[in-house]
Amino acid sequence: MTRTEHVEIEGTPLVATLVPGNGIGLLALHGSNEGGTAELARTVADRCGATSLVFTQPGVRRPVHIPSPRMAVAHCALLREFLERVALTVSLHGHMRPEAPHTVYLGGGNRDAAHVLAEALAAGIPQFPAVTDLTEIPAALRGVHSRNPVNLTRLGGVQVELPLLARTSGEANTPPGAVVDALTAGVRGLSSA
């Protein structure tokens, strides 16, 4: 059931890969830029039976970062399908804030879902404190823009901004097992909420 689509956004060629599942969607818009996010999206979705959509720039040495609100549905049929299929999105991103090397920021429009994820992350990876208060999240990481795909599903979603240590474990882009487990527990919590 895995499907791929070659798209071009702002002159940048990308490959979108959709794996259909249930009504929770794991999204990695910057799978080549933000190491570990593509792997996390695929693994957590697989464990939870969720839908995943991952964008990559295969074979590109220096991937281009296109801001999330500009990853518009007009560019990609699989993104449109993803947004129609899922009710709630968990969009995985990476940050490199030197002042917050262990902090996970939980933005996006669905604040209740952000709190559900925060509880699961606090239980599973307390070494990576989760911040849900939008006023304490750097403006560029809040994920509240109305055109950001995380906010375009029926129930909106949560933009999960992970520091490098929470998304890679030294072996290429392999996320730490504890992070995978905690995020999986959070997504399962969203499914039952």
Side-chain angles (χ1 to χ4, degrees), residues 64-136:
V64 176
H65 183 276
I66 301 167
S68 299
R70 299 201 322 244
M71 300 282 286
V73 295
H75 301 298
C76 180
L78 289 182
L79 179 56
R80 287 192 299 277
E81 181 179 335
F82 174 89
L83 295 173
E84 290 167 6
R85 171 181 286 278
V86 307
L88 178 83
T89 300
V90 176
S91 188
L92 303 175
H93 298 263
H95 76 80
M96 298 284 286
R97 299 286 167 144
E99 72 280 8
H102 295 93
T103 303
V104 176
Y105 295 110
L106 299 173
N110 190 320
R111 306 315 304 146
D112 290 338
H115 290 287
V116 169
L117 285 180
E119 287 178 20
L121 297 179
I125 49 169
Q127 69 273 33
F128 294 108
V131 175
T132 58
D133 184 338
L134 288 174
T135 64
E136 294 179 18

Side-chain angles (χ1 to χ4, degrees), residues 145-156:
H145 194 286
S146 62
R147 286 196 312 268
N148 187 327
V150 73
N151 298 313
L152 297 179
T153 50
R154 185 169 49 87
L155 299 175

Side-chain angles (χ1 to χ4, degrees), residues 157-179:
V158 183
Q159 181 156 309
V160 181
E161 292 278 357
L162 297 152
L164 185 63
L165 294 171
R167 53 192 166 87
T168 61
S169 59
E171 284 297 316
N173 288 326
T174 304
V179 174

